[in-house]
Amino acid sequence: MFLLIALLFSTAIAAALPAPGYTEGNLSQPLSQTGFTSWNAGAVTEFPIHSSCNATQRRQIELGLNEAVTLARHAKSHILRWGNESDIYQKYFGNSPSMNAIGAFDIVVNGDKKDILFRCDNPDGNCDLEGYAGHWRGENATGETVICDLSYETRRSLSTMCALGYTVSASETNTFWASDLLHRLYHVPAIGQNWIEHFADGYEEVIDLATENVTLSTHDSDTLQHFALEAYAYDIAVPGTGCPGSQHEHHDSDTAGPGTGGSEIMSTATATNGPSTTSEVPANCHTHDGGELHCI
Ligand SMILES: *[C@@H]1O[C@H](CO)[C@@H](O)[C@H](O)[C@H]1NC(C)=O
Ligand SMILES: *[C@@H]1O[C@H](CO)[C@@H](O)[C@H](O)[C@H]1NC(C)=O
Ligand SMILES: *[C@@H]1O[C@H](CO)[C@@H](O)[C@H](O)[C@H]1NC(C)=O
Ligand SMILES: *[C@@H]1O[C@H](CO)[C@@H](O)[C@H](O)[C@H]1NC(C)=O
Ligand SMILES: *[C@@H]1O[C@H](CO)[C@@H](O)[C@H](O)[C@H]1NC(C)=O
Ligand SMILES: [Zn+2]
């Protein structure tokens, strides 16, 4: 009797499910019409690149985005392995819970790419401004990033990490396609979620943020970029050495007394800024070192 009931049940279940290998209907129909929908149907796993990009532009942006993913993936792996035992982690994030930064890198690697677009047609005219290598379109199209011709001339591959004079502390984060595009992706709501913002501008402020306002560090764009670059340099490019450059030291003398200003030994590091284009910046935008345009 039990056997019979069990048998009846199993045949009922078997009847409700199509036999393996049997496909009902038309395979070019959406799966839902055959009774099944893949949980991730319609996932966009590649960064969309607009038709305004020609073959060589597309190829360079794709290679740059692949390197941005490589950089973010390694940053995540470094944190998963070492957490706050890592001196590099401590330097940038203090004792912040590690899942915040892990998530900020993972979304670049594994997040859905549907509401993101890279384009090459200069729709806002900002590529005509001197020193502009690209920009986030801001209120004109929050998911869109324009890459200007200057990027193809200046951005470097991660294979040159720690070469050609690059150091994490003294060089711009936009030296590399990888970190430049990581920054641009954090402006796009699908990736940065209006949560990753600019709280610090440049290496010195990033280090200050880690000591003074550490809770902002794991959602600060420049902090995430600098951490990723330093971890990649130290772990991958020149293992065990990296190229951190001169370290921030003025905190020691900050305690010497009010108004001393400390020994601003790093002040020369920022003397190599790109052209200032402040006077030409569109309303609601501002520039950072190296001619980066940021629009709110
Ligand atoms: C499958 O569905 C598509 C779209 O509805 C249709 O164009 C095509 O002719 C169908 N093929 C078969 C074999 O039924
Ligand atoms: C794509 O456009 C860039 C700049 O506008 C140009 O330098 C390059 O030669 C073009 N590539 C092709 C394959 O046409
Ligand atoms: C790292 O974080 C843990 C808690 O997650 C804390 O107990 C520990 O003190 C931190 N390590 C250092 C070196 O501060
Ligand atoms: C948005 O478009 C307007 C009008 O074309 C332009 O003036 C402005 O600079 C654009 N904004 C950005 C961030 O490019
Ligand atoms: C950092 O924290 C201080 C004091 O808590 C605050 O006054 C300041 O505005 C913060 N700085 C930033 C950049 O948020
Ligand atoms: Zn920015």
Side-chain angles (χ1 to χ4, degrees):
M1 184 60 186
F2 264 124
L3 192 67
L4 183 62
I5 290 169
L7 207 67
L8 280 171
F9 265 104
S10 62
T11 35
I13 289 163
L17 295 167
Y22 172 71
T23 47
E24 200 181 317
N26 184 334
L27 270 182
S28 66
Q29 299 276 355
L31 280 169
S32 58
Q33 296 187 17
T34 65
F36 292 98
T37 305
S38 167
W39 72 269
N40 66 347
V44 178
T45 57
E46 302 290 322
F47 290 102
I49 299 179
H50 191 248
S51 58
S52 60
C53 302
N54 70 24
T56 54
Q57 290 168 329
R58 167 180 292 270
R59 188 150 178 269
Q60 288 173 89
I61 294 171
E62 281 172 352
L63 288 169
L65 286 165
N66 286 343
E67 291 200 336
V69 167
T70 297
L71 186 69
R73 185 187 287 117
H74 180 70
K76 182 181 76 163
S77 299
H78 181 101
I79 302 172
L80 287 168
R81 171 63 183 89
W82 298 109
N84 67 0
E85 292 170 44
S86 159
D87 289 343
I88 302 173
Y89 184 91
Q90 284 269 335
K91 175 178 168 181
Y92 290 101
F93 302 119
N95 280 332
S96 303
S98 64
M99 66 271 278
N100 293 350
I102 289 167
F105 292 119
D106 196 28
I107 196 166
V108 173
V109 179
N110 291 309
D112 196 273
K113 273 79 176 170
K114 88 171 162 320
D115 292 318
I116 303 172
L117 185 64
F118 285 86
R119 55 193 297 164
C120 304
D121 55 355
N122 193 18
D124 301 317
N126 292 330
C127 293
D128 302 334
L129 303 178
E130 196 191 339
Y132 282 85
H135 69 98
W136 176 52
R137 293 197 68 204
E139 62 193 358
N140 291 340
T142 57
E144 297 191 6
T145 302
V146 178
I147 300 298
C148 308
D149 286 349
L150 188 58
S151 279
Y152 311 111
E153 295 162 18
T154 56
R155 300 295 182 249
R156 285 165 37 184
S157 160
L158 277 184
S159 64
T160 70
M161 171 60 76
C162 297
L164 305 169
Y166 176 86
T167 64
V168 176
S169 64
S171 303
E172 299 293 341
T173 51
N174 66 17
T175 301
F176 301 102
W177 276 110
S179 40
D180 181 54
L181 292 175
L182 186 61
H183 165 215
R184 298 188 188 289
L185 287 167
Y186 282 141
H187 278 293
V188 172
I191 299 289
Q193 303 189 347
N194 303 316
W195 172 248
I196 295 172
E197 303 271 8
H198 288 291
F199 302 107
D201 180 14
Y203 180 80
E204 286 296 292
E205 288 186 26
V206 161
I207 299 302
D208 285 341
L209 194 71
T211 54
E212 289 162 23
N213 287 1
V214 72
T215 55
L216 298 177
S217 65
T218 54
H219 59 119
D220 176 67
S221 179
D222 278 22
T223 303
L224 292 162
Q225 292 169 62
H226 276 98
F227 170 81
L229 288 162
E230 189 158 340
Y232 187 88
Y234 187 86
D235 293 342
I236 308 292
V238 188
T241 304
C243 46
S246 307
Q247 298 302 291
H248 187 83
E249 287 174 23
H250 71 231
H251 281 293
D252 294 342
S253 46
D254 282 350
T255 58
T260 60
S263 57
E264 298 283 349
I265 61 156
M266 289 301 300
S267 57
T268 53
T270 52
T272 53
N273 295 345
S276 171
T277 50
T278 312
S279 57
E280 301 168 281
V281 175
N284 86 334
C285 299
H286 59 278
T287 48
H288 287 284
D289 296 350
E292 283 306 301
L293 179 67
H294 301 120
C295 305
I296 311 297

